[in-house]
Amino acid sequence: MEICTKFELAPTFMHNVFLQPQQQSWLRPSHSTIQQLIALNPITVSQRSRWSRSPRSCSLEAQGSSSSSSRRSSAAGVMKKATSSSSEQDPSTVSVIIPVFNEVGSIRTLVERVGAVMRRRGAPYEIICVDDGSTDGSTKLLKAMAAHREDTRVVILSRNFGQTAAMAAGFDFAVGQLLVTLDGDLQNDADDIPALLDHLIRGGREGDDEGSAIVAAAGVVDTGVVREDGGFDLVCGWRRNRKDNFLTRNLPSTVANWLIGNVTGVKLHDYGCSLKAYRASLISNLHLYGEMHRFIPVLAVMEGAAISEVEVQHHPRTSGTSKYGLSRIFRVLLDLTTVYFWLRFRDKPMHFMGFLGGVCILGSLWTCAFASWSLFTATQRTLGFSMAISNAAPSYVLSAQLLIMGLQLVCLGLLAEICVRFEPQHRRHPYRVREVATSGTTM
């Protein structure tokens, strides 16, 4: 480590260790070693967030192409230099993540409101706007804002990947140990952010007037997990008085919340509310893809998270158009099926496949027995063996098919068990970044 410090090779050493895991697996350092190397070398904020979060998040970068590597280099070049490792690791630092898609009429106002709220709160913070392939001028506006605001970074995706991917990009670029997400359409209220963060950190401990006020409008979700410090790992917003169209938005959402809660056992009032507060330690263990952002509470329960929900304000949309409609219902049902299977059989897929295979094998045995009994009784009735075998042949064929199907399902379950036991640590990002804009970017 002294050699690396002397010649300022620690970032290169860490790059080789994490971006070439197969060639350098014998060199992979521990998490404490990473922190020591970071403290001894002046590196950028974006590099620090990737290296200090966890080896798993660092390993994600190995799946990118050469263009991804150049993107990381260019992004690092425009980031501010870190002044001290202690401030970077401040547990009170908050990253506010705002996915943006065609919200040119509202995003400036939202960022200004979020900045004002966070400045009043007093703790260190940053605002990360993720432009998800906007085509209405939002990208140009965001870059101009980032050039003049030191608290704002803009991650520009190469195309529209969807809200889940945009949130995943924001999580990956975030530096804070506390994370907040909200929509970019001004329907979520920035004034609710401090309440969510306070409930995330302190929960409803007695003797705390502010915390007691929060608890009055909050509910603890029964996940069987309680943090020793009284706080939570995830706090979800609940739009109790939602200002959306009843038939196309509110009614389908109510049905979906009831269905998801009863199927998964994680009963929330509002799965669709984007205004949530998270601990970075929880998010670093979640893998988001597809349209799984609405199932983050269920995925969090699978990781042993303590969850609560707090009532938040909701406002009518004043600009732009909604990106969701009735067409999402079918997709939600498909995602719910995936999440249910993942929740029940993630670590034991053989229980599911073996059950189906066992049913098929038992059906095969029963069909074979029935065919043999029919063959015997038909022969006894002097129908002749040839006539009897022709009557029993379809049953024997069905029995053989069920037996083969059952064996295939059992073998598939064994393969799934092997895949689970050797699950790869390197997962591909569900997005591709074109540019990162900050106050140091030349406009």
Side-chain angles (χ1 to χ4, degrees):
M1 187 168 62
E2 295 178 357
I3 295 176
C4 292
T5 304
K6 181 177 180 181
F7 292 97
E8 300 182 352
L9 294 176
T12 303
F13 167 77
M14 296 174 68
H15 179 275
N16 291 336
V17 168
F18 287 107
L19 298 190
Q20 300 178 21
Q22 296 178 349
Q23 295 86 349
Q24 302 287 349
S25 59
W26 61 275
L27 277 175
R28 186 174 291 112
S30 64
H31 189 62
S32 60
T33 303
I34 297 172
Q35 297 296 336
Q36 295 175 13
L37 290 172
I38 289 175
L40 291 171
N41 291 270
I43 59 178
T44 60
V45 173
S46 61
Q47 289 172 326
R48 187 183 304 276
S49 65
R50 288 199 300 274
W51 290 341
S52 62
R53 185 68 59 81
S54 68
R56 173 188 174 277
S57 61
C58 295
S59 298
L60 289 173
E61 302 295 338
Q63 302 303 306
S65 62
S66 58
S67 60
S68 299
S69 299
S70 62
R71 182 265 298 173
R72 289 191 294 272
S73 301
S74 61
V78 300
M79 299 305 299
K80 295 182 293 183
K81 294 290 184 179
T83 57
S84 67
S85 60
S86 59
S87 62
E88 299 275 341
Q89 301 302 322
D90 187 346
S92 65
T93 302
V94 180
S95 295
V96 182
I97 300 165
I98 308 175
V100 179
F101 179 60
N102 292 342
E103 300 290 356
V104 68
S106 59
I107 189 58
R108 180 187 292 275
T109 302
L110 177 61
V111 171
E112 291 175 351
R113 289 182 182 178
V114 171
V117 168
M118 297 308 297
R119 285 192 296 272
R120 289 198 302 268
R121 186 172 181 271
Y125 75 99
E126 65 171 351
I127 302 173
I128 300 178
C129 296
V130 183
D131 180 68
D132 189 24
S134 297
T135 58
D136 67 340
S138 296
T139 305
K140 183 178 180 180
L141 175 60
L142 287 169
K143 292 174 68 175
M145 292 170 56
H148 296 90
R149 294 183 63 98
E150 294 186 356
D151 61 351
T152 303
R153 280 191 289 161
V154 177
V155 179
I156 303 172
L157 304 187
S158 59
R159 64 172 177 83
N160 178 242
F161 288 89
Q163 186 173 355
T164 300
M167 291 177 64
F171 291 145
D172 287 342
F173 277 84
V175 176
Q177 298 302 306
L178 305 176
L179 310 175
V180 175
T181 58
L182 72 162
D183 287 331
D185 54 11
L186 286 176
Q187 290 193 269
N188 294 137
D189 198 319
D191 290 331
D192 289 321
I193 294 177
L196 266 70
L197 290 171
D198 291 339
H199 195 59
L200 182 77
I201 298 170
R202 297 194 300 269
R205 292 198 292 270
E206 296 182 1
D208 189 332
D209 295 337
E210 185 177 1
S212 300
I214 295 172
V215 171
V220 178
V221 181
D222 184 14
T223 64
V225 179
V226 178
R227 289 179 59 93
E228 293 182 359
D229 59 7
F232 297 93
D233 299 297
L234 169 62
V235 177
C236 305
W238 172 19
R239 301 166 294 182
R240 189 166 199 168
N241 299 312
R242 186 172 177 179
K243 309 298 183 181
D244 280 325
N245 184 276
F246 177 77
L247 291 178
T248 60
R249 301 296 302 278
N250 293 0
L251 181 60
S253 179
T254 300
V255 175
N257 291 328
W258 177 86
L259 182 62
I260 295 172
N262 283 274
V263 169
T264 64
V266 184
K267 297 186 178 182
L268 291 176
H269 291 92
D270 193 352
Y271 269 91
C273 182
S274 295
L275 183 55
K276 294 182 175 71
Y278 323 73
R279 294 184 187 268
S281 57
L282 168 65
I283 291 300
S284 64
N285 291 319
L286 301 184
H287 178 52
L288 300 180
Y289 64 94
E291 296 186 10
M292 289 294 179
H293 63 276
R294 62 175 58 88
F295 295 102
I296 286 180
V298 180
L299 300 177
V301 168
M302 294 168 62
E303 299 296 333
I307 302 178
S308 181
E309 57 181 348
V310 173
E311 288 187 28
V312 296
Q313 302 177 71
H314 193 247
H315 304 286
R317 176 182 277 274
T318 57
S319 63
T321 58
S322 174
K323 312 306 185 294
Y324 295 101
L326 295 177
S327 60
R328 64 176 174 165
I329 295 177
F330 183 68
R331 298 196 299 271
V332 171
L333 292 176
L334 293 179
D335 289 338
L336 179 59
T337 303
T338 301
V339 169
Y340 177 76
F341 180 85
W342 194 241
L343 181 65
R344 293 288 302 275
F345 304 106
R346 176 182 62 168
D347 298 320
K348 47 188 178 182
M350 186 60 177
H351 287 197
F352 177 74
M353 306 305 297
F355 172 78
L356 295 180
V359 170
C360 291
I361 292 174
L362 289 177
S364 172
L365 296 176
W366 185 88
T367 305
C368 183
F370 175 78
S372 300
W373 178 80
S374 298
L375 178 61
F376 175 76
T377 55
T379 304
Q380 290 293 101
R381 289 198 301 267
T382 66
L383 294 178
F385 180 78
S386 60
M387 181 66 71
I389 194 65
S390 63
N391 290 335
S395 297
Y396 281 118
V397 172
L398 177 60
S399 175
Q401 291 177 335
L402 288 174
L403 178 62
I404 294 173
M405 185 183 300
L407 294 175
Q408 288 178 330
L409 288 171
V410 170
C411 292
L412 185 60
L414 291 174
L415 291 175
E417 289 282 345
I418 294 173
C419 292
V420 168
R421 298 299 176 266
F422 294 94
E423 181 182 7
Q425 296 181 356
H426 311 298
R427 290 167 172 166
R428 181 178 64 87
H429 284 305
Y431 59 87
R432 184 175 295 276
V433 176
R434 185 177 73 227
E435 183 181 354
V436 177
T438 69
S439 59
T441 305
T442 302
M443 297 299 295

